[in-house]
Amino acid sequence: MKYTHNFNPCISDRDIFKEIVKEKEYIGYYNLVHQDTTNFKEYAKGVKQSNVVVIGIGGSTLGTYAIYKYLKYSKSLKKQLYFLETTDPIDIKSKLEAIDLNDTLFVVISKSGTTIETVSIFKYINSLVKCDKDNTIVVTESDSKLNYYAQKNSIKRFEIPKNVGGRFSVFSAVGLVPLAIVGIDIDELLSGAKKIYNGFFDKEDAYKRLLKKARFFAEYKNSFNINVVFSYSSRLEGFNDWYIQLWGESLGKIDINSSRQGLTPIGIIGPIDQHSFLQLIVEGKRDKTVTVIKVEDFASDLEIPHVKLEGLEELDYIDGIKFSYLINQQADATIESINNLNDIPCDVITIDGVSEKSIASLMYEYELLTSLCAKFMYINAYDQPGVEAGKKILKERLSNA
């Protein structure tokens, strides 16, 4: 008798936890919460330029942007942070026109050191201003060609550990160096991430909720293969973009039995998407889970003024309401409307406020959740062969052009 199958047995929480503990010995992102940040902070103190331009793409920029976007309007930051991450010529030109390049520090980030998008933009910058040790730093692997270039030109270098993948690298030099330069407290970031680390590996609250959520996503992946993050703050737009890369590139894989797996990430913003995507969630096909993310304290007293508008008197009941209260009531109304249907899986994450700890806790939680889902699904969360194939084709096409 011959027997083949394309399914995998369910794994116990205990076995999954053992796998993650074992993985922590060779996958580097887990332990970034313990690193010494002295070198990053000392360098940041000496930066004189008013502008910081990060040149990179994907994992080299998305996490940093997520944190910066979340915090920048609530902090008195020392410098402006910009991101050049696309080869769209209009985007490049329009961004650079708004920046004084002679008062700019360029942070070139590429794990491999040969990312075409990053090198292309860096070449263009070099045609506009001289990039040297006084206005440029490099963040890359120790043996990359970009590292070699930096050495030859006496340019300051920060290392990306080889065992830290790009999309899991936000709490390495990739994110911590540019964020420290503009004045964000990177020790508080690591403190927030470490809170989740401890809560998981000490088998406390984070352990229970993350395992439960990851198990549900994996066991119901054929019924609910679309995971919607509904963030009720425009500040979380960057987080949504980061989550989409983390989730899609980590979990869209072929498993150990050559079966194609994947959980599709969707990132939307409330209340804007209450007027669009919510319709699809509520009355569309039941193939989506929903995670609503709320911010408890927006640190803002902005309120709706007592202004009389002729013909709109019936809405005067909103006068005097704080916008922060309004947006959270909108979130709660959405949550209640979804829960009342009883057939859409929905959970709610409420982060404390607009702080380094809050955003870092959320992001580290999603990194752990991604790793757990991958274990349940019998896939490797840390490679990206589908992306690499496209890179090879692009190189061949450009080389033969």
Side-chain angles (χ1 to χ4, degrees):
M1 180 177 71
K2 293 183 178 180
Y3 176 68
T4 62
H5 68 86
N6 67 348
F7 55 84
N8 297 302
C10 189
I11 316 173
S12 71
D13 288 354
R14 184 178 65 178
D15 288 341
I16 283 288
F17 183 72
K18 286 181 179 178
E19 287 289 318
I20 293 294
V21 170
K22 183 179 179 181
E23 188 173 88
K24 189 158 66 79
E25 296 176 4
Y26 59 90
I27 296 297
Y29 91 83
Y30 292 104
N31 296 307
L32 291 175
V33 299
H34 305 304
Q35 70 189 296
D36 183 358
T37 61
T38 303
N39 187 30
F40 305 152
K41 291 182 293 186
E42 286 301 315
Y43 176 79
K45 288 179 184 177
V47 174
K48 300 292 190 275
Q49 291 90 342
S50 301
N51 306 304
V52 180
V53 172
V54 173
I55 305 171
I57 194 170
S60 297
T61 58
L62 287 173
T64 309
Y65 177 71
I67 293 171
Y68 182 66
K69 168 80 172 176
Y70 188 69
L71 296 173
K72 68 175 181 176
Y73 296 114
S74 297
K75 297 281 182 181
S76 298
L77 298 179
K78 305 172 184 176
K79 305 175 189 300
Q80 293 290 320
L81 183 58
Y82 302 90
F83 297 86
L84 292 176
E85 52 191 342
T86 175
T87 51
D88 180 338
I90 296 174
D91 182 86
I92 295 171
K93 188 173 181 181
S94 63
K95 284 182 177 177
L96 291 178
E97 284 176 348
I99 304 169
D100 180 358
L101 299 183
N102 293 312
D103 189 21
T104 297
L105 175 72
F106 300 99
V107 184
V108 187
I109 305 178
S110 170
K111 182 172 169 62
S112 68
T114 54
T115 308
I116 286 179
E117 295 86 352
T118 304
V119 175
S120 299
I121 296 170
F122 187 47
K123 280 177 174 282
Y124 181 67
I125 295 293
N126 271 273
S127 74
L128 303 177
V129 64
K130 182 181 179 182
C131 294
D132 55 27
K133 64 181 181 178
D134 296 321
N135 67 353
T136 304
I137 63 172
V138 160
V139 184
T140 187
E141 287 188 344
S142 60
D143 58 353
S144 76
K145 291 182 179 179
L146 181 59
N147 188 69
Y148 173 77
Y149 164 84
Q151 280 183 302
K152 292 291 289 183
N153 290 277
S154 302
I155 291 172
K156 177 71 175 178
R157 294 162 286 130
F158 292 96
E159 183 180 349
I160 305 174
K162 280 190 171 295
N163 62 356
V164 175
R167 58 188 174 276
F168 290 86
S169 67
V170 63
F171 298 118
S172 72
V174 168
L176 298 187
V177 170
L179 291 170
I181 292 169
V182 299
I184 287 172
D185 191 333
I186 60 175
D187 288 331
E188 283 292 285
L189 286 174
L190 292 186
S191 176
K194 194 171 184 178
K195 179 182 177 182
I196 302 301
Y197 173 97
N198 290 337
F200 180 76
F201 287 106
D202 291 343
K203 295 187 176 182
E204 296 172 351
D205 288 347
Y207 169 85
K208 296 174 184 176
R209 68 172 177 269
L210 285 170
L211 276 167
K212 182 178 181 179
K213 189 170 181 176
R215 179 179 291 281
F216 181 91
F217 282 160
E219 291 183 356
Y220 288 88
K221 65 182 184 292
N222 294 322
S223 300
F224 300 102
N225 68 321
I226 299 174
N227 307 129
V228 180
V229 164
F230 205 159
S231 298
Y232 269 80
S233 172
S234 297
R235 296 168 183 250
L236 288 167
E237 185 177 10
F239 167 80
N240 284 7
D241 291 342
W242 173 82
Y243 150 73
I244 288 170
Q245 189 212 11
L246 178 71
W247 205 248
E249 203 168 36
S250 299
L251 301 181
K253 299 289 172 63
I254 297 174
D255 69 13
I256 59 173
N257 290 321
S258 300
S259 176
R260 295 183 183 276
Q261 303 293 324
L263 293 172
T264 301
I266 301 288
I268 58 179
I269 295 292
I272 299 168
D273 290 307
Q274 284 180 203
H275 299 270
S276 56
F277 202 89
L278 182 58
Q279 174 65 34
L280 182 61
I281 293 171
V282 172
E283 293 196 343
K285 186 177 179 181
R286 293 302 190 252
D287 55 359
K288 306 167 195 68
T289 66
V290 179
T291 296
V292 177
I293 302 178
K294 296 174 57 182
V295 178
E296 185 172 332
D297 183 3
F298 281 83
S300 172
D301 293 324
L302 192 69
E303 66 178 38
I304 303 166
H306 293 269
V307 173
K308 299 300 179 184
L309 300 175
E310 186 175 352
L312 297 175
E313 291 86 358
E314 66 181 75
L315 291 174
D316 284 351
Y317 65 85
I318 65 176
D319 291 358
I321 293 176
K322 290 183 180 180
F323 278 97
S324 57
Y325 177 79
L326 174 59
I327 194 171
N328 278 327
Q329 287 299 302
Q330 290 172 305
D332 290 342
T334 296
I335 294 162
E336 185 175 341
S337 69
I338 291 172
N339 286 338
N340 286 343
L341 297 170
N342 293 317
D343 61 356
I344 300 175
C346 179
D347 66 329
V348 181
I349 298 173
T350 303
I351 53 182
D352 299 336
V354 185
S355 68
E356 286 92 343
K357 281 187 177 180
S358 296
I359 188 64
S361 294
L362 178 65
M363 294 176 75
Y364 195 81
E365 175 145 336
Y366 262 87
E367 289 182 334
L368 280 176
L369 179 63
T370 303
S371 295
L372 287 167
C373 285
K375 287 296 181 186
F376 277 121
M377 296 165 66
Y378 291 88
I379 58 177
N380 178 2
Y382 310 107
D383 64 357
Q384 50 278 332
V387 175
E388 296 302 324
K391 289 180 180 179
K392 291 179 182 178
I393 293 171
L394 176 62
K395 184 177 181 179
E396 290 174 3
R397 292 173 68 92
L398 293 176
S399 299
N400 297 324

